[in-house]
Amino acid sequence: MSTIETVPPAGRADRDFDPVTLEVIRMRLDAIVEEMAIAMMRSSGSPVITEAGDFNTALFDAQGRIYAYSNYVQFHIGSASVALRGLLDAVPLEEMAPGDAFISNDSHTAGSTHPPDVSVITPIFHDDRVVGFAQSQAHLLDIGGMNPGGFAPSAVDCFAEALRMPPGVKCYERGEPVESVRRMIVNNVRLPIIFWNDVRSLVASNNTGARRLQATLEEFGPDVFARYADLAIEAAQAVVAERIRHLPDGVYEASEWQEGDGKSDELLPIRCRMTVDGDSLTFDFTKSSPQTAGFVNCSYGALVGSVATGLNPVLAWDLPFNQGVLRPVTITAGQESIVNPAIPAPASNGHLTVGARVTRLVTLLLNRVVERSPNPELRRRAQGIWADSWTGGISAGTRTDTGEYFVLFNMDGGLMGAGAQAVGDGLDGSGMTTQVSNMVPDVEMNELMYPVLYLWKRLDETTGGPGAHRGGLGVDFAWTLWGCDEVLHTVFCPCAQVPADGYGGGYPGGGGEQSILRGVDVTAALARGEASAHGKLRPDHTELLELVEQGLVIHAGDVFRQRIAGGGGYGDPLLRDPDVVARDLRDGYITPAAAVAAYGVRVSDDGSVDTDATRELRTQIRAQRLGHQPAQLLVTGIGELRYDHDDPGSLGVHDSDAGWHCRMCGGFLGEGDDWVHPALTKRSSAADRLSHLGVHVRPRAEVQLQEQLCPNCGSALDARIVAEA
């Protein structure tokens, strides 16, 4: 069993301090890691870095504690820490010199989120001793192995996936490349010039961080700096610990499911037992599935980053990230498991599959505990679950005009929907929770860099989870080859059958899907002005792709289409303002079926709400949910029930000395530790039920939607996905 241990403080800081100096040094550290990010983006030639921002930068002290971490990819929090601790174990400090840089990417020994995420670590010197480390990590376009781009669904072990570099491999020595290491690396990757230039950009980023930290030490003095850096860590720890103390002690358990591993379509359970004890949190994943033969195993570094990704928005949303944020948290995982695999388990997609499910699972568990907190600010952190599942498409081929070989890792696959929150709808095309500052390359940039022509890129109205606040929509896009005869294509779609849950009666979002429209006359469609309309492309046939496929060949004249999953809703959709529903329908954010079946809104021919028909329809829907007319219905508007948007609590229920009551109608639900058992529970096929509500999910018999309803008024109190592995 593996457990992440927090590094103890270097020494308890003196409590007599200047708060201005503390804030200046804290903000200086944050500014340094952001400047490192700018240096990387301006020196790299890869759109994954320059356009999409798929990287991180960080500063550590000499013992491996995080001083500061940039706001780009939070997954890398864990992998960066594991890589540095591996380096400290492999290379003594006295053997390091100014200008040295160490490269690693191995998921097993260096904690990399997956092999294409390459980390470079540079020791920082002051007065001839190591005082810290600069670390940069980015997704590089190819890392060798059996598949272009580094995603290998058919790999039977990690040795087939990529070139594996453990901690301690020195790629720069005293400011100069180690030529033998450079030759060995570039001899094993498909894009040697681009790869090594990106390594140089990581080194440049670290050099920037080293210079800026050295200047800071000169300005404040090493002793003052160390004291205030300790204070910054302690301050972050104190805030998180205090927020945990506002959570009710107890044990909370939940499960998520990975949709196959690329070799089998078996549902693989990810289980977590979260314990709140005073000012500490423990996340125990030891009951999760054993490691698998497929490429979805999540490295321990990625596990830690995935937990931190779910934790930060709920308990540390306003804090600069440093070691103190994680000090109150313990993360435990069983050996040789899907969340802590051992060699030779493949792991080239573990972070975007199992890792993303871990983030969803942590968010779900935190929802359950913050809704019971006496602190209203924490209660408002509950949210619909984000789709958090990268729908991947990696293409490799040769341009017809230049003969240049290319690998396209399409960052558009990250345009999934966010979960809705107490303050409003989920963000559309938001990216994953982990992607704090990520972006997506412009269509024009992708067309400039690669031989593809986009036909459309739009929001998918069948993906947002219905709710009082709607879940964010995923994106639907399509491209065809333009200046290339054919490409070899790999796809994976981690969120097709088990979508993201809603919260407090909000419904799950839609799932993803990928297909190839074979034999389209794109030139003729362009001439007709119909190339951007899916229903008018006239393919010879359409090939719906499996959740994971590799070795696909896309030819010129074929069209590749990708639909990306959406986020879960927040609150019963019958509480949504009918005028907002009508606007969503007019603007194409929901389907006509969803307006009627999910939101209970009748819209007149002129686009306005039919008030009387809407009131009647919403009452009918509640009656259909219960199987009879509601016994209690307190109307305050058009079919609206009472709901305090400013203090959602557990949204649908209220706990008092008199027991549990429905917040909407005030009806009694029962007594005891929970409201779940007194509620009316209904189960149905997730795909069928959500389709009725205007939401698309790929059918799977084991995946069901469990709705828990107030037996008095028929309001949805909870709606979540359940599955049998």
Side-chain angles (χ1 to χ4, degrees):
M1 185 167 65
S2 294
T3 301
I4 186 168
E5 301 292 345
T6 54
V7 181
R12 192 165 183 80
D14 187 347
R15 295 300 176 186
D16 183 17
F17 66 92
D18 175 20
V20 174
T21 302
L22 173 60
E23 187 67 1
V24 168
I25 288 179
R26 182 196 68 76
M27 293 184 69
R28 177 72 58 83
L29 291 170
D30 285 350
I32 291 172
V33 295
E34 291 303 320
E35 188 173 348
M36 291 170 63
I38 293 169
M40 187 194 305
M41 288 190 286
R42 290 185 176 177
S43 56
S44 169
S46 167
V48 175
I49 295 174
T50 61
E51 301 295 316
D54 190 353
F55 64 82
N56 84 280
T57 54
L59 289 174
F60 292 80
D61 72 2
Q63 289 75 45
R65 296 183 305 163
I66 302 172
Y67 273 154
Y69 186 91
S70 60
N71 288 319
Y72 286 88
V73 177
Q74 293 190 345
F75 268 146
H76 295 169
I77 289 170
S79 57
S81 298
V82 173
L84 180 53
R85 292 176 192 177
L87 173 61
L88 292 172
D89 290 340
V91 182
L93 293 179
E94 56 269 21
E95 294 183 10
M96 300 179 186
D100 287 354
F102 300 86
I103 190 170
S104 63
N105 77 316
D106 182 33
S107 298
H108 294 288
T109 60
S112 179
T113 41
H114 71 149
D117 285 343
V118 175
S119 181
V120 174
I121 300 174
T122 298
I124 302 173
F125 285 79
H126 185 262
D127 292 338
D128 297 324
R129 66 184 180 91
V130 176
V131 294
F133 294 89
Q135 182 268 346
S136 297
Q137 185 173 199
H139 180 103
L140 304 193
L141 288 175
D142 188 73
I143 193 65
M146 64 187 300
N147 269 26
F151 294 87
S154 65
V156 297
D157 55 37
C158 57
F159 305 105
E161 289 185 309
L163 174 67
R164 299 173 60 232
M165 295 177 283
V169 175
K170 187 185 292 186
C171 61
Y172 270 68
E173 185 168 22
R174 297 184 181 273
E176 297 295 330
V178 179
E179 186 59 24
S180 59
V181 173
R182 186 194 69 82
R183 286 199 302 268
M184 185 274 294
I185 292 174
V186 301
N187 192 57
N188 281 278
V189 299
R190 295 173 178 84
L191 302 169
I193 295 174
I194 294 175
F195 184 96
W196 190 253
N197 188 67
D198 283 345
V199 171
R200 293 175 63 206
S201 76
L202 298 179
V203 173
S205 169
N206 288 353
N207 290 344
T208 299
R211 289 194 301 270
R212 295 295 182 261
L213 186 61
Q214 288 163 344
T216 302
L217 290 168
E218 290 291 339
E219 179 180 349
F220 292 95
D223 293 338
V224 171
F225 172 81
R227 176 186 171 210
Y228 280 90
D230 280 350
L231 278 170
I233 291 173
E234 288 188 15
Q237 177 183 355
V239 172
V240 173
E242 177 64 20
R243 287 171 178 169
I244 294 173
R245 279 193 288 270
H246 282 88
L247 304 177
D249 285 353
V251 177
Y252 305 82
E253 297 183 83
S255 299
E256 259 282 3
W257 295 270
Q258 168 58 36
E259 301 175 26
D261 65 357
K263 294 183 172 64
S264 164
D265 68 351
E266 178 185 3
L267 288 179
L268 303 171
I270 304 132
R271 299 190 173 99
C272 183
R273 179 183 176 95
M274 182 182 76
T275 302
V276 183
D277 184 8
D279 61 0
S280 66
L281 270 178
T282 299
F283 294 94
D284 183 353
F285 294 89
T286 54
K287 293 184 179 180
S288 295
S289 171
Q291 69 186 47
T292 177
F295 72 150
V296 301
N297 296 291
C298 176
S299 75
Y300 189 69
L303 171 67
V304 174
S306 298
V307 172
T309 293
L311 183 79
N312 287 346
V314 180
L315 296 178
W317 67 91
D318 54 352
L319 299 179
F321 189 90
N322 61 35
Q323 193 68 45
V325 172
L326 288 181
R327 276 216 186 127
V329 179
T330 300
I331 302 168
T332 303
Q335 299 284 1
E336 299 185 8
S337 70
I338 200 170
V339 290
N340 185 26
I343 296 172
S348 60
N349 200 27
H351 64 316
L352 296 181
T353 52
V354 170
R357 296 280 170 170
V358 166
T359 298
R360 284 168 42 160
L361 182 53
V362 169
T363 304
L364 170 61
L365 287 166
L366 290 174
N367 277 350
R368 292 183 181 178
V369 68
V370 299
E371 70 183 14
R372 299 165 183 261
S373 172
N375 185 319
E377 184 61 37
L378 289 177
R379 290 201 296 273
R380 280 192 286 270
R381 307 312 294 183
Q383 60 190 294
I385 308 300
W386 293 42
D388 266 352
S389 57
W390 195 284
T391 305
I394 303 96
S395 311
T398 303
R399 292 177 177 272
T400 54
D401 53 352
T402 65
E404 177 187 4
Y405 183 79
F406 68 91
V407 176
L408 167 58
F409 176 41
N410 198 333
M411 303 303 291
D412 289 330
L415 288 170
M416 68 288 297
Q421 301 183 15
V423 295
D425 295 341
L427 295 174
D428 303 316
S430 66
M432 301 175 73
T433 309
T434 194
Q435 297 175 276
V436 178
S437 296
N438 281 66
M439 300 171 287
V440 173
D442 295 334
V443 165
E444 292 81 6
M445 180 58 69
N446 271 356
E447 292 178 337
L448 174 67
M449 298 288 292
Y450 303 103
V452 296
L453 176 70
Y454 278 75
L455 302 183
W456 66 79
K457 186 176 181 181
R458 58 187 175 227
L459 295 175
D460 188 338
E461 70 276 15
T462 68
T463 54
H469 293 150
R470 174 179 46 75
L473 304 181
V475 168
D476 173 0
F477 70 90
W479 54 254
T480 190
L481 292 174
W482 206 257
C484 178
D485 292 333
E486 65 179 33
V487 292
L488 194 65
H489 201 59
T490 300
V491 297
F492 47 88
C493 187
C495 182
Q497 303 163 331
V498 185
D501 279 331
Y503 174 73
Y507 283 80
E513 187 172 272
Q514 299 182 90
S515 57
I516 302 175
L517 285 65
R518 299 287 190 183
V520 176
D521 189 338
V522 176
T523 301
L526 288 169
R528 295 193 304 268
E530 298 176 348
S532 62
H534 169 259
K536 298 182 179 180
L537 283 182
R538 307 177 191 175
D540 291 339
H541 69 281
T542 297
E543 184 178 337
L544 180 63
L545 301 181
E546 298 297 328
L547 302 187
V548 177
E549 290 197 45
Q550 70 173 45
L552 291 165
V553 178
I554 297 179
H555 303 278
D558 294 339
V559 173
F560 174 65
R561 183 189 185 193
Q562 191 172 90
R563 300 170 67 184
I564 306 170
Y570 185 102
D572 189 335
L574 297 184
L575 297 174
R576 191 165 178 83
D577 184 337
D579 288 331
V580 175
V581 175
R583 184 188 66 198
D584 281 351
L585 180 61
R586 180 177 65 250
D587 294 342
Y589 286 96
I590 61 173
T591 65
V596 174
Y599 294 100
V601 174
R602 296 284 189 191
V603 177
S604 302
D605 292 341
D606 63 359
S608 64
V609 174
D610 185 329
T611 302
D612 292 337
T614 293
R615 181 182 292 110
E616 180 181 354
L617 178 58
R618 287 187 164 183
T619 301
Q620 289 175 357
I621 291 174
R622 292 190 180 95
Q624 290 167 359
R625 290 173 175 176
L626 295 174
H628 56 79
Q629 288 296 321
Q632 292 177 265
L633 187 61
L634 304 181
V635 178
T636 60
I638 296 183
E640 298 302 324
L641 301 180
R642 297 181 302 180
Y643 164 53
D644 185 355
H645 287 271
D646 294 326
D647 187 10
S650 56
L651 199 70
V653 296
H654 173 64
D655 184 20
S656 69
D657 293 338
W660 296 95
H661 293 79
C662 172
R663 278 181 178 259
M664 271 64 79
C665 71
F668 181 65
L669 294 175
E671 299 177 342
D673 295 333
D674 211 324
W675 58 269
V676 171
H677 296 295
L680 173 62
T681 300
K682 299 175 70 175
R683 281 196 181 188
S684 56
S685 161
D688 291 347
R689 177 69 173 129
L690 291 173
S691 177
H692 173 71
L693 300 177
V695 177
H696 173 74
V697 173
R698 196 158 178 164
R700 182 166 186 144
E702 308 99 301
V703 180
Q704 296 186 317
L705 179 67
Q706 177 176 287
E707 298 172 78
Q708 291 178 305
L709 310 166
C710 172
N712 305 296
C713 67
S715 292
L717 305 177
D718 189 57
R720 69 184 52 174
I721 297 295
V722 294
E724 297 178 2

